[in-house]
Amino acid sequence: MRNAAKFLYSVILVGVTAWLCSYFTRFGIDNWYSVLEKPAGTPPNEIFAPVWSLIYGLLAVSFYLVLSSSSPLRRPARQLFIAQLFMQIIWCILFFYEGMLGAALGVIILLDLIVWKMISIFGQIKPLAGYLNYPYLLWLCYATYLNFIFMSAQGAVVEF
């Protein structure tokens, strides 16, 4: 029964995040994103739902694997997992709901770093749990690139 509760916890955390991100994303698509000129390489909107469904499924399974372990790294892994879920929601609010592309870029770069660290710790706990998150990291890196391109196309300048 204990494993079932851990699995349910994983699915609920990821499911709530997916629902919130979907809500904010739909708002942006319906209100401003759909009229933007899309840069080359932007996938059609129909691609996002199946890709995110796969990613969310992998996230839930990998988190369950971590929760089921007895590793002393379980606590920092859980903290990173929850942090990246929170950052996903913040990014969707900033990018899609508010249209704040520059702030969203800062958040998604931080999200990339959190997920990289999360993969590292997950992999130390259970290698499969780490590997299951590489598609997510690749998708995030692609989204980071697109966020930068969208921001630049709107006339924003990024200086370092």
Side-chain angles (χ1 to χ4, degrees):
M1 182 61 171
R2 202 162 156 89
N3 282 337
K6 289 175 184 176
F7 184 74
L8 187 59
Y9 175 66
S10 299
V11 169
I12 289 172
L13 269 180
V14 171
V16 168
T17 300
W19 182 83
L20 287 169
C21 289
S22 175
Y23 171 80
F24 293 119
T25 299
R26 276 192 315 264
F27 178 88
I29 288 172
D30 292 344
N31 289 292
W32 68 271
Y33 179 83
S34 61
V35 298
L36 281 182
E37 183 176 330
K38 308 298 185 289
T42 303
N45 290 344
E46 299 80 35
I47 296 296
F48 290 97
V51 168
W52 274 110
S53 295
L54 173 65
I55 289 169
Y56 284 131
L58 294 173
L59 279 169
V61 169
S62 70
F63 189 51
Y64 166 72
L65 291 172
V66 167
L67 289 178
S68 298
S69 78
S70 59
S71 170
L73 292 173
R74 197 170 66 174
R75 183 176 183 182
R78 186 177 68 239
Q79 291 169 337
L80 286 167
F81 187 81
I82 291 170
Q84 66 82 23
L85 292 177
F86 180 71
M87 295 302 285
Q88 269 189 58
I89 295 165
I90 298 301
W91 183 82
C92 287
I93 290 169
L94 291 173
F95 188 90
F96 286 107
Y97 195 78
E98 296 292 339
M100 297 173 66
L101 306 181
L105 181 62
V107 168
I108 201 168
I109 290 170
L110 182 58
L111 178 57
D112 294 339
L113 296 172
I114 292 169
V115 170
W116 178 257
K117 181 67 175 171
M118 182 187 81
I119 288 171
S120 172
I121 290 179
F122 275 32
Q124 291 174 51
I125 296 169
K126 286 211 176 195
L128 179 60
Y131 293 134
L132 289 175
N133 286 290
Y134 279 111
Y136 176 37
L137 181 61
L138 291 172
W139 187 254
L140 281 178
C141 290
Y142 180 55
T144 303
Y145 160 77
L146 288 175
N147 190 150
F148 177 79
I149 297 299
F150 274 112
M151 188 185 75
S152 298
Q154 301 309 308
V157 176
V158 177
E159 295 183 36
F160 298 97

